[in-house]
């Protein structure tokens, strides 16, 4: 994607004052509400501004267009999940391997399942042109946190920790996406947690 096109997908400015932060949060929340109600194709900045209780002009002070707004919402969502993973990993360095994987899996699922509908809606946004500019840097944060965790685990010296972190990330993200997009009933969440934890733990133990 041309550099000029990428610039058009970026926020115009970052809120600094408390009031500005609250305004942008209201815009984000309004975007999610309209996205879930109308879908991305019918979402407009006018509808979002009305739902957020701000003027369209105020919205455009921060976001140059609809796509930039959607990508900002995607980034906020992904960062929240990444921060949950980073915190779980940092808090469990040098723990037994089963504790590490249990905490990693459950904190990741907690973050993704906190708002199931939003998670599903944003998968489509992530797949749109330019979405990789948001997804790739955050994916690297996930993998860096998992890699740092694995470096403190009792693993054979021959274990390829870099690739293991990559595989664990793919397993977590792919499994939860499949689970959510299949509209699996919430009552299966307990099984999802148990089976996914066993899966990644068995993978690590097989190294």
């Amino acid at each position: 994607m041309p550099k000029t096109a990428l610039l058009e997908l970026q926020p115009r400015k970052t809120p600094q004052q408390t009031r500005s932060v609250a305004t942008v949060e209201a815009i984000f929340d309004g975007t999610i509400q309209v996205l879930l109600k109308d879908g991305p194709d019918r979402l407009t900045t006018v509808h979002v501004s009305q739902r957020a209780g701000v003027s369209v002009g105020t919205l455009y002070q921060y976001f140059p267009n609809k796509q930039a707004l959607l990508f900002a919402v995607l980034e906020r969502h992904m960062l929240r999940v990444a921060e949950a993973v980073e915190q779980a990993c940092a808090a469990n360095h040098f723990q037994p391997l089963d504790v590490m994987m249990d905490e990693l899996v459950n904190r990741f699922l907690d973050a993704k399942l906190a708002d199931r509908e939003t998670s599903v809606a944003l998968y489509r946004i992530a797949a749109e042109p330019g979405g990789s500019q948001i997804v790739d840097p955050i994916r690297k944060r996930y993998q860096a946190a998992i890699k740092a965790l694995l470096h403190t685990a009792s693993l054979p010296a021959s274990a390829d920790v870099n690739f293991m972190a990559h595989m664990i990330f793919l397993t977590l993200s792919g499994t939860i996406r499949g689970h959510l997009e299949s509209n699996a009933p919430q009552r299966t969440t307990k099984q999802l947690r148990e089976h996914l934890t066993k899966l990644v733990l068995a993978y690590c133990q097989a190294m």
Side-chain angles (χ1 to χ4, degrees):
M1 180 175 289
K3 185 176 180 179
T4 53
L6 290 175
L7 290 174
E8 292 175 355
L9 299 178
Q10 298 176 0
R12 282 190 164 133
K13 64 179 182 179
T14 301
Q16 302 295 332
Q17 299 180 346
T18 302
R19 183 176 178 181
S20 298
V21 171
T23 296
V24 171
E25 284 298 312
I27 292 171
F28 283 157
D29 291 342
T31 303
I32 292 296
Q33 292 169 21
V34 175
L35 179 63
L36 295 180
K37 180 177 180 291
D38 299 333
D41 295 333
R42 297 178 61 190
L43 181 146
T44 68
T45 52
V46 172
H47 289 157
V48 169
S49 63
Q50 290 173 343
R51 185 61 65 93
V54 302
S55 68
V56 176
T58 297
L59 187 152
Y60 282 131
Q61 287 180 18
Y62 297 97
F63 307 101
N65 51 56
K66 163 184 165 178
Q67 200 62 36
L69 174 58
L70 288 172
F71 280 166
V73 171
L74 170 66
E75 182 176 44
R76 182 184 70 158
H77 174 79
M78 292 193 66
L79 283 173
R80 286 177 174 176
V81 180
E83 287 165 3
V85 168
E86 288 171 338
Q87 291 169 9
C89 289
N92 287 282
H93 285 188
F94 299 103
Q95 292 294 319
L97 194 57
D98 61 333
V99 174
M100 288 182 175
M101 294 304 107
D102 182 76
E103 284 295 305
L104 171 60
V105 169
N106 280 288
R107 299 298 77 77
F108 175 79
L109 292 181
D110 286 344
K112 292 295 291 184
L113 295 172
D115 190 338
R116 299 164 67 102
E117 290 184 341
T118 297
S119 293
V120 173
L122 291 176
Y123 285 132
R124 177 175 172 184
I125 306 304
E128 293 181 356
S132 61
Q133 301 297 316
I134 303 296
V135 174
D136 290 349
I138 300 175
R139 173 182 54 78
K140 291 177 182 178
R141 284 182 56 172
Y142 283 113
Q143 294 187 189
I146 298 171
K147 175 184 172 182
L149 177 67
L150 292 174
H151 271 303
T152 72
S154 298
L155 294 170
S158 59
D160 187 343
V161 172
N162 285 337
F163 195 74
M164 286 179 68
H166 174 67
M167 288 297 297
I168 291 171
F169 167 75
L170 291 180
T171 301
L172 295 178
S173 58
T175 300
I176 189 60
R177 179 169 184 171
H179 178 77
L180 290 172
E181 291 188 331
S182 67
N183 200 30
Q186 291 195 25
R187 66 175 181 274
T188 63
T189 298
K190 182 179 179 181
Q191 287 177 294
L192 173 69
R193 292 177 184 276
E194 293 175 352
H195 287 235
L196 188 53
T197 300
K198 290 178 180 178
L199 185 64
V200 295
L201 177 59
Y203 167 70
C204 292
Q205 291 173 332
M207 291 299 106

